[in-house]
Amino acid sequence: NAGVTQTPKFQVLKTGQSMTLQCAQDMNHNSMYWYRQDPGMGLRLIYYSASEGTTDKGEVPNGYNVSRLNKREFSLRLESAAPSQTSVYFCASSTGTGGLSGANVLTFGAGSRLTVL
Amino acid sequence: AQSVAQPEDQVNVAEGNPLTVKCTYSVSGNPYLFWYVQYPNRGLQFLLKYITGDNLVKGSYGFEAEFNKSQTSFHLKKPSALVSDSALYFCAVRDRGNNRLAFGKGNQVVVIP
């Protein structure tokens, strides 16, 4: 049972470099999300996709782009990395097509730790 | 906008003693409430949720939480803590009227053998 798989697990970038975080789920979930986790701040939503073909901004979308490639995959791209984007990034998915509405439970990946120097 | 407060950074408890992790919330309407747990180097795992009905919700691993509307609280409890319960616990709230889910900052629980 793979659940939600994120790659890479660790990445070090220099300021200005670009990279893409990959996420795939095998639970046939409709909605997918990208969060960042910073000490003392909990989880903050970057972008989400309520269903295949749709994406929406969350609380902290600046500096990021996303692509819902198909129902299984949802990638997060940093076009020009900045030190403020040093964080742990989590991908999650849930059933239903309402995105964050309803009482949908999120299933999280193991996280990707990104350091921007 | 909804928000969650988890007032304690760290909760220390002796193994076998009751464990309580506090959570208060703020929403404009009626809430959905959740608890998630994060073990080291892992993603968050769902523990339990409150939707409606009975104010006492039972979840995974012997955890339960009590919804208190007048105090806008949703404290997580376990009658007898285990060393394996040592982890980071997150409370989250969703306002039924909008599309946003707010997480608290998390509470580190340390169970001392």
Side-chain angles (χ1 to χ4, degrees):
Chain A
N1 296 335
V4 178
T5 302
Q6 294 181 232
T7 56
K9 293 189 185 304
F10 301 95
Q11 184 73 49
V12 179
L13 293 176
K14 295 180 179 178
T15 297
Q17 288 185 318
S18 63
M19 76 158 298
T20 299
L21 299 175
Q22 307 286 354
C23 175
Q25 52 91 9
D26 62 1
M27 297 171 288
N28 202 34
H29 284 173
N30 290 304
S31 300
M32 297 185 73
Y33 316 83
W34 276 105
Y35 285 89
R36 59 178 290 173
Q37 182 182 29
D38 301 292
M41 302 188 71
L43 274 74
R44 292 181 292 169
L45 182 65
I46 304 171
Y47 270 93
Y48 68 99
S49 170
S51 60
E52 185 179 357
T54 68
T55 60
D56 286 284
K57 295 179 180 179
E59 303 169 64
V60 289
N62 292 345
Y64 305 95
N65 286 302
V66 290
S67 295
R68 183 74 183 267
L69 304 171
N70 48 54
K71 190 172 185 178
R72 290 186 64 248
E73 299 173 288
F74 188 41
S75 62
L76 178 71
R77 182 161 178 82
L78 287 69
E79 291 291 352
S80 179
S84 61
Q85 294 178 303
T86 294
S87 187
V88 181
Y89 291 85
F90 288 98
C91 179
S93 66
S94 68
T95 59
T97 56
L100 289 169
S101 64
N104 294 329
V105 171
L106 273 62
T107 300
F108 286 84
S112 299
R113 185 175 295 275
L114 174 65
T115 301
V116 183
L117 302 176
Chain B
Q2 60 266 45
S3 64
V4 175
Q6 294 182 247
E8 300 161 314
D9 289 333
Q10 182 163 313
V11 175
N12 297 324
V13 61
E15 187 176 23
N17 281 4
L19 169 62
T20 298
V21 188
K22 295 180 180 178
C23 171
T24 59
Y25 65 89
S26 173
V27 295
S28 57
N30 292 315
Y32 293 118
L33 292 154
F34 305 81
W35 276 101
Y36 287 83
V37 60
Q38 184 181 28
Y39 298 102
N41 300 313
R42 302 286 296 278
L44 279 70
Q45 298 177 30
F46 170 73
L47 275 180
L48 51 79
K49 67 180 178 183
Y50 171 80
I51 302 175
T52 188
D54 194 347
N55 289 342
L56 185 63
V57 179
K58 294 187 183 297
S60 306
Y61 312 120
F63 284 94
E64 59 187 28
E66 186 166 11
F67 170 63
N68 187 317
K69 187 172 183 178
S70 63
Q71 297 186 3
T72 61
S73 67
F74 190 56
H75 301 330
L76 181 70
K77 299 180 181 182
K78 186 171 183 179
S80 179
L82 302 172
V83 172
S84 57
D85 293 329
S86 298
L88 191 57
Y89 291 80
F90 289 93
C91 182
V93 63
R94 177 178 299 140
D95 189 325
R96 297 174 192 229
N98 65 41
N99 206 25
R100 304 192 75 85
L101 177 68
F103 281 88
K105 63 179 175 63
N107 280 129
Q108 184 67 49
V109 169
V110 177
V111 181
I112 303 163

